[in-house]
DNA sequence: ACCTGAACACCGTTCAAGT
DNA sequence: ACCTGAACACCGTTCAAGT
């Protein structure tokens, strides 16, 4: 609407703007609508302007994923097993609040950013506090992460899916998630 | 190498040829190398020739995924819980034998073809035979499927990943998978 | 029914140049 | 450092036409 910028004129775009625009596109048009060119269109810049702020589309997606994980709170419970349960459930809820992103999480397997690291570290600490030795804790960590992201993916899809015979309610799926989580935690901590 | 075909000349391509070419590309160049145009190039036909055999790329991928599941054998054990364990482990192994496909499985969440149906039905039957009532069986089914595909995804990636600090051995991951599977089955069947 | 030629409406990314 | 213009090398899919 304003006069087009020539080369050298700055648009004042930040990485935050790009992430927000990407998130908006994802929510509005799904993961097929997420393209570098579409993001640029939203921000009113040339497509290649984005490359001044991110090296690639994949790097941008990684940033986006880790951004979401920032919302997962650190658990405060005394009991380590209880804290683990809360932590995984919080992660599940946070992922579902950004259902459009979950398929991307799956493809990348849980993101490698700083927030993913923080959560992973906390899991290991809690597992060791629950009496699991270091090596077994790494195994348990993998099991719990896979389970949580995988279940979030099912739940995220069921909110989109329309033709399903028996409509799955988010509440039921969350309960389903927690049931399986309890089984796993019981196994992890060796409680019979 | 031979003289180019004009319009109306048949290449004699079948859906099987297309699926094999797609699989070959996936193995050779990864999932980024899988394009309709690349498949057509391999088969020596025009890109749009593929649309005489499949309605879309997504439909082709779905077919590819279900194709892989055909290799999962039906378990023969007497004990239902044992049969379930075998079935999930066979699925895990089969998925890993086609590691290139696992990310696509995640994106589609386990395929919707006839082989996926067959396996899903068998799971439900075994779960009910193990004393799980119909509704709980559906829950358990979701838990087991998510867990199996999710873990296969981790293992499939670890064979590609090079920069990992502690190299994960396929054997260790398979053992890790089975450990978690036992926890889940113990929970599912209500055994203390 | 199965195939080609040509086209439509896109992609991600790079490179040189402007301020 | 941040941006544009132009280009490169691609995509999936459709449409009309040929046999």
């Amino acid at each position: 609407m304003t006069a087009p910028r020539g080369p050298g004129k700055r648009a004042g775009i930040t990485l935050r703007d790009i992430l927000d625009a990407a998130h908006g596109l994802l929510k509005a048009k799904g993961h097929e609508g997420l393209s570098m060119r579409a993001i640029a269109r939203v921000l009113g810049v040339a497509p290649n302007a984005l490359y001044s702020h991110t090296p690639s589309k994949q790097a941008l997606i990684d940033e986006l994923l880790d951004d979401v994980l920032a919302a997962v709170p650190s658990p405060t419970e005394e009991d380590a097993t209880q804290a683990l349960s809360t932590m995984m459930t919080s992660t599940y809820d946070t992922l579902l609040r950004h259902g459009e992103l979950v398929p991307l999480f799956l493809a990348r397997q849980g993101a490698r950013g700083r927030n993913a690291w923080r959560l992973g570290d906390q899991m290991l600490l809690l597992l060791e506090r629950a009496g699991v030795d270091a090596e077994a804790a790494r195994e348990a960590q993998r099991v719990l992460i896979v389970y949580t992201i995988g279940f979030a993916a099912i739940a995220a899809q069921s909110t989109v899916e329309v033709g399903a015979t028996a409509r799955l309610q988010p509440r039921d799926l969350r309960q389903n998630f927690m049931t399986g989580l309890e089984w796993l935690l019981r196994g992890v901590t060796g409680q019979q």
Side-chain angles (χ1 to χ4, degrees), chain A:
Chain A
M1 318 309 172
T2 63
R5 276 182 311 282
K9 256 65 179 169
R10 305 218 168 176
I13 296 304
T14 65
L15 181 56
R16 246 283 54 88
D17 295 330
I18 298 178
L19 290 171
D20 290 343
H23 208 134
L25 278 168
L26 221 36
K27 275 214 284 221
K29 322 230 183 189
H31 99 283
E32 295 208 339
L34 181 66
S35 72
M36 297 299 268
R37 294 179 110 101
I39 295 171
R41 220 139 44 212
V42 168
L43 296 176
V45 295
N48 48 356
L50 306 181
Y51 290 86
S52 295
H53 299 91
T54 182
S56 69
K57 185 185 181 183
Q58 189 56 65
L60 196 64
I61 289 177
D62 285 344
E63 206 102 32
L64 207 55
L65 296 180
D66 207 62
D67 217 44
V68 165
L69 291 183
V72 178
S74 297
T76 54
E77 281 93 338
E78 266 294 309
D79 182 61
T81 309
Q82 188 53 50
L84 273 169
S85 176
T86 301
M87 197 172 158
M88 301 324 287
T89 308
S90 298
T91 304
Y92 176 85
D93 289 335
T94 301
L95 289 176
L96 272 200
R97 233 173 277 122
H98 303 276
E100 337 80 53
L101 282 171
V102 183
L104 298 177
F105 263 97
L106 284 175
R108 278 309 253 183
Q109 302 203 55
R112 281 120 175 60
R114 23 201 170 79
N115 286 306
W117 265 99
R118 170 181 62 90
L119 292 173
D121 275 357
Q122 285 181 349
M123 284 182 71
L124 283 181
L125 285 174
L126 288 171
L127 283 165
E128 296 192 27
R129 250 180 56 200
V132 183
D133 71 86
E135 199 188 347
R138 286 231 150 259
E139 293 195 324
Q141 190 194 28
R142 279 194 284 275
V143 167
L144 291 172
I145 291 175
V146 160
Y147 177 75
T148 302
I149 301 182
F151 224 98
I154 283 198
Q157 168 174 277
S158 80
T159 58
V160 177
E161 208 174 9
V162 197
T165 33
R167 197 82 175 78
L168 290 169
Q169 295 304 109
R171 271 188 190 248
D172 297 336
L173 278 171
R174 203 186 117 106
Q175 186 53 53
N176 194 169
F177 166 76
M178 293 184 75
T179 302
L181 179 60
E182 290 313 310
W183 294 339
L184 287 176
L185 287 175
R186 214 178 295 158
V188 166
T189 57
Q191 289 169 11
Q192 302 296 340

